[in-house]
Structures are given as C-alpha cells and as structure tokens.
Amino acid sequence: MTKMTPGLRAGIATLGLVVIGLPALAQNALSKADAEPYLGTWTLSADFNGNPINMTLEIALIEDEVKAAMRAIISPQPQLIDEVAKAEMGIDLAWEADLGGNAMRVHIKAVLEDDKLIGTFGDESGFFTAEFTGEREAEAADIVLAAAAAAAEKDSAPQTSRRFGGTTVASYKFGDAEVSVAFGKLELESVDHRAFVDTAAGSVYSFPGSRCFKLQTEAELHFGDTVVAAHNFGPDYPGTYSLWLKKSKDGWSLVFNEEADVWGTMHNPGADVGEVALEIASLDQAANELTFEVVAGASGGRIKVAWGETEWSAPFRIQ
C-alpha cells in the first residue's frame, strides 16, 4: 500500500525507504553464502496508489560474483544493480535507475519470508515508494547478463547529462488567468510511442517515459458540457489536474483527473472528473516529440497535442 505525502493529494509518496517492520541496519557486500537463498528470478508485485505493477528482479552468480538486475514497466530495459548489500536482516539492492530519461537512485529492501520476498521499492529522493511481495519464478529471465551487456555498451558511449523531472511548460494568459500544461519528453522512436500506437479502444494511454501531463488553470474552463473547475485544491491555488489521452473507436479524447502528481503509467479512473472528444488534423511537418500548446481561440482558448503527423485539439471557453 502506498502512503500519501501531505502536499500531494494523490501522488506517489514517501515511506523513507525503510522496509516496514524491519530495522534500518548497517550493510556490507552480500557474500555468495548469504546470497544463496535469494538466487533466482523473482516477480515483485506492488501497488502504486491503487495501480498494480509487476517488476522482475534477478539475482545470480556471474563468474563467482553476486550480480542483480531489475526490469519494470517504468524502466522496461533491464538495469544492472550496482550495490548488492547485506543488512542484519535481509538485503538492500541499489542502482541508478533510468526512468524514461530521468536518473534516480532506487533501492529494493527485502527479507525472505516463507520463500517469498517481502519489502519496499523506492527512490532515495522520496518521489515514490511502495511495498511489494515477491514470488520466485521457475525459470531464469536472464536479465542480469542482458543488463551487464547494456551497461558495458553505455560505458563505452559518450555521456550526456540529464535532469530529474525535466518538463516543458506550455502556457497562455487569458486576461489575468493563466492556463498551462506541463509535459515530459516523449519521442517517436521510443517505447512510449509504441505504447501509444498499441493503446486499445476504451483505454487510456499509459506511458513509462515521464510523469503524467499536468494542467493548471486559474479560470474555470468549459469544454462543451465538460467543466474543469479552478481552485479544486483550495481558494488560493490554481485548478490542478492530470491530463490523459484516451483511445476511442473513432479517435481520441482528453480526460481530466484530480490525481495530478503521478507517473504516466498510473492513471486512476476513480479520480476522473471529465472527458472531452479531441478534434483531429494532419500536420505539414511531423513532430518528433509529443508537444502540448495552449493558444487563444475565437471564443476562449484551445489545448493542442501534436505527435508524429497528427494534431489533436480541444476548444474551451473561459468562465
């Protein structure tokens, strides 16, 4: 179960990265003997704010050394765990995770209980954390070798710097009222676009590459009969929502949701407050990255989304 921080009504919260019911203890490198009970492939099942997620963890002996790797929907490429440590009770695995272009130091802290792994998964900054239960799989996933090969290839390539939580903000001021949309970097040649193309009719687009799209508005917005209120969190704070793209039989719609600080894989339909069909147009020049725009219109404004050769948009009135 994921707990909430006071400032995030429905965000991914922090538990301090301490395994529930276990003491925070000194650590050292995990020996082969200590690693023996943990060797193998594990499916870790967690719940992020009501959204189930499965992760694959593998711990193996490679050339007489204990190695581990991790794979999850928010980090689909196997990632090598660089710190495999022993605690007085259990293990602590840590690595620099690449979550859609954002670097985070992530920990798995766990103990064995009735041949199951019980523990927590989360990052050091406290952006997200959740409890999990791990089941041992009968067959190896072989992700340690794949992750080691990928890490070696990365080390030999030129390095570029990245900033956690990097977003672009598109905004427009309608008189004294500002309307803005914050969005992460999602590219055409990526797992994010493949997930977009594969979205089934009736489903919301789930993307691993960034936090969800986030709308803030200082005015009440009317998208036809759909009303998006300002100040839904308080009288002195803009209306704040996540935006989700939902596939329909004939196109796409824009969904407004009151859980505004979650990852792009964590849509909670129970927090949806409205939905509007999107108009569609073709672009003269393909957009290699997904972009949002907030622009003025004849009777108010318009939110535009562009990706590939297509633009979707929804007009609104200011109230």
Side-chain angles (χ1 to χ4, degrees):
M1 174 176 144
T2 307
K3 298 183 179 179
M4 299 293 121
T5 56
L8 296 179
R9 179 176 175 181
I12 310 173
T14 176
L15 294 176
L17 298 178
V18 177
V19 178
I20 302 302
L22 299 177
L25 300 167
Q27 302 165 351
N28 48 62
L30 194 65
S31 68
K32 289 187 293 181
D34 291 327
E36 184 67 31
Y38 298 95
L39 295 179
T41 299
W42 301 83
T43 295
L44 310 184
S45 300
D47 186 292
F48 286 85
N49 195 31
N51 294 276
I53 183 172
N54 290 330
M55 301 165 283
T56 302
L57 169 68
E58 187 173 71
I59 304 173
L61 284 176
I62 305 296
E63 296 182 351
D64 222 28
E65 186 177 352
V66 181
K67 298 283 188 180
M70 182 70 180
R71 182 175 62 201
I73 190 170
I74 56 176
S75 180
Q77 298 302 317
Q79 296 197 353
L80 195 65
I81 293 172
D82 58 53
E83 182 181 341
V84 182
K86 175 188 176 183
E88 187 174 329
M89 293 176 61
I91 58 174
D92 185 350
L93 312 178
W95 73 102
E96 200 75 16
D98 181 0
L99 304 183
N102 298 312
M104 302 181 189
R105 188 70 178 171
V106 175
H107 285 254
I108 290 174
K109 296 189 176 186
V111 293
L112 274 173
E113 186 176 298
D114 297 328
D115 202 36
K116 295 183 179 181
L117 278 182
I118 308 296
T120 57
F121 168 81
D123 76 304
E124 288 183 353
S125 68
F127 175 57
F128 72 93
T129 190
E131 300 170 44
F132 68 78
T133 300
E135 298 280 352
R136 193 190 299 269
E137 297 298 326
E139 297 184 3
D142 293 328
I143 62 173
V144 171
L145 291 175
E153 182 178 348
K154 180 180 177 182
D155 287 343
S156 65
Q159 299 299 302
T160 57
S161 61
R162 292 179 294 190
R163 182 170 63 87
F164 164 72
T167 57
T168 301
V169 178
S171 65
Y172 192 91
K173 203 153 189 178
F174 299 87
D176 294 330
E178 185 174 40
V179 179
S180 66
V181 178
F183 55 97
K185 183 178 181 179
L186 304 181
E187 299 179 330
L188 273 180
E189 299 297 326
S190 69
V191 65
D192 303 297
H193 191 259
R194 290 194 295 274
F196 180 77
V197 172
D198 292 339
T199 302
S203 298
V204 163
Y205 167 46
S206 178
F207 51 98
S210 78
R211 301 186 191 190
C212 63
F213 313 131
K214 184 174 180 178
L215 168 73
Q216 289 196 301
T217 176
E218 296 176 338
E220 186 175 279
L221 307 180
H222 290 243
F223 293 83
D225 295 331
T226 299
V227 179
V228 178
H231 315 301
N232 59 325
F233 281 77
D236 299 320
Y237 197 75
T240 304
Y241 303 85
S242 57
L243 296 179
W244 302 88
L245 298 171
K246 184 177 180 180
K247 185 72 175 291
S248 65
K249 181 180 178 181
D250 301 317
W252 291 84
S253 61
L254 190 64
V255 176
F256 304 88
N257 183 290
E258 285 200 311
E259 294 186 357
D261 291 282
V262 295
W263 203 258
T265 55
M266 298 175 61
H267 172 251
N268 175 15
D272 290 345
V273 296
E275 182 176 341
V276 60
L278 289 167
E279 300 172 5
I280 188 170
S282 297
L283 294 172
D284 293 333
Q285 184 173 352
N288 290 323
E289 294 180 12
L290 182 143
T291 61
F292 276 84
E293 284 186 276
V294 182
V295 299
S299 58
R302 184 177 288 268
I303 291 178
K304 295 182 176 182
V305 190
W307 209 7
E309 297 178 347
T310 307
E311 178 184 85
W312 302 266
S313 65
F316 59 83
R317 293 180 290 107
I318 298 286
Q319 187 74 19

